[in-house]
Amino acid sequence: MWEDFRIAYQPDAVVTDQGNVEILAIRAAFPMVKIQYCAWHVLRVWERRLTYTMLGIDMALSPEQRANERDQVRHALHKILYTPDKDEALALLTTFQQENHHRAEMLQFLDKNYFKETDRQRWMICFRENIACAAIDTNNYVESWHNALKMYFLKDKQKRRADTVVYTLVKSVIPFYQYKLASGRLQVGRMNPVQRAAADGRIKAET
C-alpha cells in the first residue's frame, strides 16, 4: 500500500475465526483494528459444543423432545447473533441467561467465551453497524479463495517454500485475476453470474 499509494494500510475491522493465534497476530500488526468473529464459525462451534449433556437435557425424554429442546436453545442464540438493533439484542441476551439459569455448564461455557463485554462485540451483528462493509459477517469467501489458490495454483502440495509461494502469486495468481477483471470490464469471454443475470433481465425486457 505504501509503495503504490503512499498511505499506510489500516483496516477498520477483520473478520476471522476464533483462533487465539490469529487474533494475537492481527493485534500485533493492527493494534486499533476491530476483530469480528465469522458468524458461520460461531454457529458451527455452538452446533458442536452445545450437546445434550452440556445443556443438561434429560436423556429419558424421547429423541424428538431432546432435539426440540436443544433446537430452542440454538434458535435463541441464533436470534441474538443476527438481531441488528443493539438494545434488542442485549435484551434477548439477558432473557436468554435468565431463562437458562439452570443450564450451569452451558452458561459457564458461554460466559467464558461469548458473553463478556469485549467478546460480545466480536460476534453480535449489532456491534458492526459503524464499520465499513458491516454486511460481511463471514470469512467463508476468503476461505473459498484460499481453497482455489491451494488446489489450482499450488496444486494442493503441502509445505511449499515461501519464495515459491511468492513467485506463484506474482507470476500466476495476480495476472490471472487481472485478466479476469479486465475481461469482465470489456465484457469479453464467459459472463459471471452478475453479468448473466443482467443480460437475462435485458432479454426479458426486450421480449
Side-chain angles (χ1 to χ4, degrees), residues 160-174:
R160 284 182 173 267
R161 287 174 20 178
D163 57 342
T164 303
V165 175
V166 171
Y167 180 86
T168 303
L169 290 171
V170 172
K171 295 297 184 180
S172 299
V173 179
I174 292 177

Side-chain angles (χ1 to χ4, degrees), residues 80 85-98 124:
I80 295 170
D85 183 77
K86 187 178 299 183
D87 292 335
E88 183 181 352
L90 292 175
L92 289 172
L93 178 59
T94 300
T95 301
F96 178 85
Q97 291 173 305
Q98 293 172 346
M124 294 174 67

Side-chain angles (χ1 to χ4, degrees), residues 35-150:
I35 296 178
Q36 311 289 346
Y37 289 159
C38 168
W40 184 85
H41 283 91
V42 170
L43 293 172
R44 190 174 71 166
V45 170
W46 291 345
E47 180 76 17
R48 186 175 68 251
R49 295 295 301 274
L50 300 183
T51 61
Y52 294 145
T53 302
M54 178 176 282
L55 296 179
I57 295 176
D58 186 0
M59 298 305 292
L61 297 173
S62 67
E64 293 79 8
Q65 291 174 318
R66 295 198 303 268
N68 182 59
E69 189 172 341
R70 182 186 59 186
D71 289 344
Q72 288 178 355
V73 173
R74 291 176 176 172
H75 177 74
L77 287 170
H78 187 280
K79 191 172 183 179
I80 295 170
L81 168 62
Y82 281 109
T83 297
D85 183 77
K86 187 178 299 183
D87 292 335
E88 183 181 352
L90 292 175
L92 289 172
L93 178 59
T94 300
T95 301
F96 178 85
Q97 291 173 305
Q98 293 172 346
E99 292 180 347
N100 293 277
H101 64 88
H102 58 290
R103 305 185 194 277
E105 185 178 355
M106 179 196 73
L107 287 182
Q108 183 179 6
F109 165 74
L110 293 174
D111 287 337
K112 179 181 178 181
N113 298 283
Y114 297 97
F115 286 174
K116 295 176 184 176
E117 184 68 27
T118 54
D119 292 329
R120 295 176 190 175
Q121 299 180 20
R122 293 182 176 180
W123 63 274
M124 294 174 67
I125 299 300
C126 63
F127 286 101
R128 306 185 186 187
E129 55 189 6
N130 295 322
I131 63 174
C133 301
I136 300 177
D137 55 20
T138 178
N139 59 0
N140 284 352
Y141 301 111
V142 177
E143 292 194 359
S144 176
W145 184 83
H146 283 168
N147 184 61
L149 175 66
K150 290 183 289 186

